[in-house]
Amino acid sequence: MNGQPLSSVVQDISVEERAAIEGAVARALAACDETGKAGIAASILHGGTIIATGENEVHLQSDPTKHAEMVAIARAAQVLASTGLSECVMISTLQPCEMCLAAMRFAGIRRVIFAATQARVAPKYFVFPHLSVADFQGDRDFEAIGGICEDRILHLYVTGEE
């Protein structure tokens, strides 16, 4: 966050990051109409190129850890043949939950860009709501940019019934 509010750094989004979040929003909107899928999508960029995507598979896989971000992290690690994703950027349609933020940090991801922010969505998406994105910064550089394309996707998360 680098001392800036989540949504005040829109100018720091690259063309590739903007395209990735717009693509994730489109995938989330489409997924919410498919049986068993939730309208949450994520992508991982490496060098400005999407190398992995994921949608929420919690209900499809009967696995509470299959959040879109977790699926995308696992796929990116396979693509790069490495668990170190420090050169990658996480893109998500929803502010990553505590589990996903922790996984990102363990993988070394230092930048996350997301659409819907915690303050504007149903409480069900955060088990430890007192934790914020800033709590995951630690002593290393970590940048979180939220609220990008939020107006296009927020309706999916307001009630928690995506």
Side-chain angles (χ1 to χ4, degrees):
M1 291 177 31
N2 298 334
Q4 298 176 354
L6 288 176
S7 60
S8 70
V9 281
V10 175
Q11 67 276 8
D12 291 340
I13 306 271
S14 72
V15 171
E16 296 84 4
E17 290 167 339
R18 166 83 48 195
I21 198 151
E22 288 175 358
V25 166
R27 290 191 342 265
L29 291 170
C32 73
D33 291 331
E34 295 182 40
T35 303
K37 289 193 174 181
I40 304 169
S43 297
I44 302 278
L45 279 78
H46 182 264
T49 300
I50 296 173
I51 62 164
T53 62
E55 285 79 35
N56 185 301
E57 298 180 5
V58 168
H59 299 294
L60 287 175
Q61 303 292 331
S62 297
D63 183 343
T65 68
K66 294 293 185 180
H67 290 194
E69 297 90 346
M70 300 291 276
V71 172
I73 288 170
R75 290 177 180 165
Q78 289 177 343
V79 167
L80 296 176
S82 174
T83 58
L85 305 179
S86 63
E87 305 278 322
C88 295
V89 176
M90 170 66 74
I91 303 291
S92 183
T93 58
L94 178 61
Q95 181 175 323
C97 72
E98 309 87 352
M99 174 181 68
C100 295
L101 283 166
M104 287 172 42
R105 301 306 287 143
F106 275 103
I109 295 173
R110 292 179 267 186
R111 182 173 169 94
V112 59
I113 301 168
F114 53 91
T117 57
Q118 181 176 358
R120 299 190 66 198
V121 301
K124 84 166 202 171
Y125 297 108
F126 300 91
V127 177
F128 303 102
H130 62 283
L131 293 175
S132 71
V133 173
D135 292 318
F136 290 86
Q137 186 167 2
D139 60 356
R140 291 178 267 169
D141 188 32
F142 181 68
E143 185 174 29
I145 302 170
I148 309 302
C149 297
E150 186 173 48
D151 58 329
R152 293 184 45 215
I153 197 87
L154 187 62
H155 67 280
L156 293 183
Y157 312 128
V158 171
T159 64
E161 297 189 24
E162 86 298 324

